[in-house]
Amino acid sequence: MSGQNLDRTLAALADPYRRRVVDLLRERPHRAGELAEAARLSFPAMSRHLKLLRTSGLIAEERDDLDSRVRIYRLRPEAMTELKAWLAETDALWARQLAAFKAHIQKSKR
């Protein structure tokens, strides 16, 4: 993941309302109004959050087949793949550091 993409993803997830949207979209796609109601936000505020999540690549917007005025949002799981890989690399680094520290402490006790 490029540093710029990672920064954009983390910035998008930094807001609790946007994390709530991601949580809701993990369950199923939702209409914008449903997301606003579930997050207890005004529609204009939710619209701003949805725009940022779309720009970051975390969600996709589709039009309802029956009513083109209705927008349906879904999570783009592939956007999280790069973040998960970065987190796995970071976790592995910490695991190695902690294992080395544990070995050092055990060696010092002898």
Side-chain angles (χ1 to χ4, degrees), residues 3-104:
Q4 204 171 43
N5 287 341
L6 180 60
D7 291 346
R8 190 172 30 246
T9 298
L10 292 173
L13 295 174
D15 183 275
Y17 289 109
R18 291 191 290 268
R19 286 193 308 275
R20 176 74 175 129
V21 167
V22 169
D23 287 342
L24 290 165
L25 294 178
R26 282 192 318 208
E27 298 168 9
R28 66 176 174 81
H30 283 77
R31 293 188 324 262
E34 293 175 318
L35 294 168
E37 185 177 317
R40 297 185 176 168
L41 281 176
S42 68
F43 190 76
M46 179 54 69
S47 181
R48 288 189 297 276
H49 287 297
L50 291 171
K51 181 179 179 180
L52 197 147
L53 286 166
R54 274 193 333 270
T55 302
S56 73
L58 291 171
I59 66 171
E61 174 188 272
E62 301 167 353
R63 301 286 179 162
D64 187 308
D65 292 336
L66 301 175
D67 186 350
S68 64
R69 296 172 296 168
V70 176
R71 295 177 183 164
I72 299 172
Y73 295 88
R74 66 173 178 80
L75 193 60
R76 295 185 63 241
E78 63 274 11
M80 293 290 197
T81 301
E82 293 177 273
L83 175 59
K84 288 190 295 188
W86 180 81
L87 290 171
E89 290 171 14
T90 303
D91 185 52
L93 171 69
W94 279 105
R96 287 191 305 272
Q97 294 289 331
L98 290 173
F101 181 67
K102 181 179 177 183
H104 173 73

